[in-house]
Amino acid sequence: MTLPHVMTAEEILQRDFLPLRARLIEVAAMLDRLDRAGGSPPDDERMGLVAQAIARLSEDRDDRAEDLQRLFSLPYDPAWRESFGIESRSQKAR
């Protein structure tokens, strides 16, 4: 049995550089469009989240994807089914 090949940083960069570059340019273009349109409304917290995400991307750490997922996620609500009007499996069985 052979172990799977673990890619080196150079191999990952070689494979992923162009798609990464395209996504970064896409983000920059979106921010430019917002600026040309007068920016976001002052009470819109989404731009604050975007600014936090961009800052966190520049941090030297290995859990940036998880960190951003948590940043953009709502805290867990044990009563989420009721909030969305969804019956639990135990309620359906009755």
Side-chain angles (χ1 to χ4, degrees):
M1 179 175 158
T2 60
L3 295 176
H5 173 68
V6 177
M7 293 177 69
T8 66
E10 178 62 32
E11 290 170 327
I12 294 169
L13 191 56
Q14 180 68 28
R15 181 192 68 190
D16 294 339
F17 178 74
L18 291 177
L20 174 61
R21 181 185 76 162
R23 289 181 181 129
L24 291 170
I25 292 169
E26 184 178 350
V27 169
M30 220 175 308
L31 294 172
D32 288 347
R33 286 192 295 274
L34 281 167
D35 287 345
R36 284 193 295 273
S40 63
D43 59 344
D44 193 327
E45 65 185 49
R46 292 175 294 183
M47 280 308 296
L49 290 173
V50 169
Q52 287 180 59
I54 291 170
R56 291 178 185 193
L57 286 175
S58 65
E59 296 173 1
D60 186 17
R61 47 193 291 183
D62 65 357
D63 67 342
R64 287 177 284 231
E66 179 182 347
D67 185 43
L68 292 191
Q69 182 64 46
R70 290 183 188 276
L71 174 66
F72 289 113
S73 297
L74 296 172
Y76 178 71
D77 176 7
W80 69 270
R81 288 183 186 274
E82 292 81 21
S83 299
F84 290 99
I86 299 172
E87 290 183 14
S88 69
R89 290 181 185 168
S90 62
Q91 290 173 325
K92 287 181 182 179
R94 291 182 196 167

